[in-house]
Amino acid sequence: MSPRSRTNQLLYQTELLMGLPTGSDEHAPARQLAIEESALALFELALNSLLKEVSQHARLETHDWHQLLASDGPAIAELQRLRDIMCQPDSWLCWLVAQLERLHSDEGAARRSVQNPAMIALGGQGSLAEQLLNNLQAAKQEIANLRETSQEW
């Protein structure tokens, strides 16, 4: 399988995973957390695959996003474009990197929803599942643009 096919497969699987029903039994909240964190882990695999895809001409030894997207990472135009996107606070990649850091922390990325009616909800902040799906769509659009640009070269 080519890196491009693998990237597509992982993005598709992430989307499929987010569509799984959580059920309505006592395990539904835990199942939702598991789905969200699993989808983030697949999104991370897709990011690594994308980095391999856009940098395969450079024959890099690693395709780990930590190293390739670091400010001192390889000087490859596609990677620099992704670094620039990552620096935009409202970008899909900035969101993803923050979520991946949470995912790998002791706290994890998924949070149980608070069912306290006295609690004030934060406006404009959707659930992790909603944010993940929105950022996945933005990533897919950006990946299409990135692929188009790299094909022109």
Side-chain angles (χ1 to χ4, degrees), residues 2-47:
S2 70
R4 181 180 185 144
S5 296
R6 182 64 174 152
T7 303
N8 289 343
Q9 179 186 50
L10 290 164
L11 292 170
Y12 176 65
Q13 289 174 345
T14 301
E15 204 165 10
L16 282 178
L17 193 56
M18 291 307 302
L20 289 177
T22 59
S24 57
D25 61 3
E26 69 273 10
H27 302 289
R31 201 173 293 115
Q32 181 65 37
L33 298 178
I35 288 170
E36 290 171 352
E37 292 207 344
S38 298
L40 276 172
L42 279 175
F43 206 169
E44 180 177 26
L45 290 174
L47 176 60

Side-chain angles (χ1 to χ4, degrees), residues 41-73:
L42 279 175
F43 206 169
E44 180 177 26
L45 290 174
L47 176 60
N48 282 332
S49 182
L50 171 66
L51 294 173
K52 182 176 184 179
E53 177 185 339
V54 300
S55 65
Q56 62 187 351
H57 63 281
R59 294 185 173 86
L60 301 173
E61 290 183 23
T62 183
H63 298 101
D64 179 68
W65 66 268
H66 293 95
Q67 295 173 5
L68 296 185
L69 296 180
S71 59
D72 62 344

Side-chain angles (χ1 to χ4, degrees), residues 62-153:
T62 183
H63 298 101
D64 179 68
W65 66 268
H66 293 95
Q67 295 173 5
L68 296 185
L69 296 180
S71 59
D72 62 344
I76 298 171
E78 293 85 355
L79 296 180
Q80 187 57 49
R81 180 173 171 176
L82 288 167
R83 284 185 206 109
D84 292 344
I85 292 168
M86 187 176 69
C87 290
Q88 298 169 8
D90 61 341
S91 72
W92 68 271
L93 191 51
C94 180
W95 177 88
L96 179 59
V97 167
Q99 295 306 313
L100 294 177
E101 289 172 358
R102 287 179 55 201
L103 179 67
H104 290 283
S105 74
D106 291 339
E107 299 299 316
R111 300 283 185 259
R112 288 190 181 272
S113 61
V114 177
Q115 301 296 329
N116 183 350
M119 193 116 176
I120 298 172
L122 296 175
Q125 206 176 37
S127 70
L128 179 58
E130 291 168 343
Q131 292 176 41
L132 197 148
L133 286 171
N134 290 337
N135 284 291
L136 182 63
Q137 291 309 313
K140 288 166 57 175
Q141 180 61 48
E142 186 62 42
I143 290 167
N145 295 339
L146 192 61
R147 286 174 174 164
E148 186 177 313
T149 303
S150 65
Q151 283 180 351
E152 291 173 4
W153 290 101

